[in-house]
Amino acid sequence: MKLVFIFLYLILSLHFESSEAKCHKNTVAFQNNLTLSKSVLKVHCKSRDDDLGDHFLRFQDAAYNFSFHDHFILYTRFKCILSKGANLEYHKTFLGYEADKYRRCGALYAWEARDDAIYLSTKDEPIKLMYSWDKD
Ligand SMILES: *[C@@H]1O[C@H](CO)[C@@H](O)[C@H](O)[C@H]1NC(C)=O
Ligand SMILES: *[C@@H]1O[C@H](CO)[C@@H](O)[C@H](O)[C@H]1NC(C)=O
């Protein structure tokens, strides 16, 4: 009986490893394109398990990004807060990433902060306006 479990465990972990190797991580990226204000952009994302801390991007800095695999059982989500303005008085909280029923592999969610609003593009979708800024 015990042997059956060990055998099952081996099969499952082999399967897990090979699908992990084939499934590229998903990436969420943030870009400061605050063309007019040239404001600093503050990015703070967290999931159930990880708090990624504060990141500050100057105008046209290289994108800040992070990558991860979708969780097998629990829906992976990253809640993000973007802030801009001289006193970071403009901000928006939203889901920077939310898993679907199907496990995604190699997805790219590219968020772009512009003066008027926050935009998103993905591998499949051209850039579109998603959220406007809230002000204190
Ligand atoms: C920056 O935003 C402007 C519009 O404000 C847009 O035309 C331009 O393509 C954006 N640049 C980048 C690098 O995304
Ligand atoms: C993510 O950041 C790395 C460097 O930190 C960069 O080389 C890579 O091009 C970035 N990827 C995206 C999708 O922005």
Side-chain angles (χ1 to χ4, degrees):
M1 196 60 187
K2 225 175 174 181
L3 216 68
V4 171
F5 280 114
I6 292 170
F7 190 66
L8 268 178
Y9 174 79
L10 282 177
I11 300 254
L12 278 175
S13 54
L14 275 177
H15 174 75
F16 183 79
E17 264 167 37
S18 67
S19 66
E20 205 63 357
K22 263 181 281 173
C23 180
H24 292 289
K25 287 181 173 178
N26 302 311
T27 298
V28 177
F30 294 90
Q31 202 187 357
N32 178 342
N33 188 18
L34 299 166
T35 317
L36 301 176
S37 62
K38 306 263 194 295
S39 161
V40 162
L41 176 73
K42 180 179 159 187
V43 182
H44 190 159
C45 295
K46 60 182 170 185
S47 68
R48 217 178 271 105
D49 308 320
D50 294 311
D51 187 327
L52 303 178
D54 289 341
H55 292 266
F56 295 90
L57 292 178
R58 285 163 306 172
F59 176 59
Q60 285 187 342
D61 268 353
Y64 157 60
N65 66 58
F66 55 90
S67 301
F68 52 89
H69 281 120
D70 278 358
H71 195 282
F72 263 98
I73 302 153
L74 303 169
Y75 278 33
T76 300
R77 291 173 159 202
F78 282 92
K79 191 172 97 176
C80 299
I81 306 172
L82 299 193
S83 317
K84 65 152 187 153
N87 302 304
L88 298 175
E89 68 274 31
Y90 293 92
H91 41 82
K92 186 72 198 179
T93 302
F94 57 94
L95 285 175
Y97 180 83
E98 188 174 27
D100 202 352
K101 289 193 288 291
Y102 307 102
R103 190 164 184 255
R104 287 196 197 97
C105 299
L108 173 65
Y109 283 63
W111 294 95
E112 185 184 319
R114 293 188 186 174
D115 292 289
D116 63 332
I118 297 163
Y119 291 73
L120 172 67
S121 54
T122 66
K123 276 184 184 158
D124 312 317
E125 301 253 359
I127 193 154
K128 65 169 186 259
L129 191 157
M130 296 295 285
Y131 303 108
S132 44
W133 297 99
D134 296 331
K135 193 167 188 279
D136 281 341

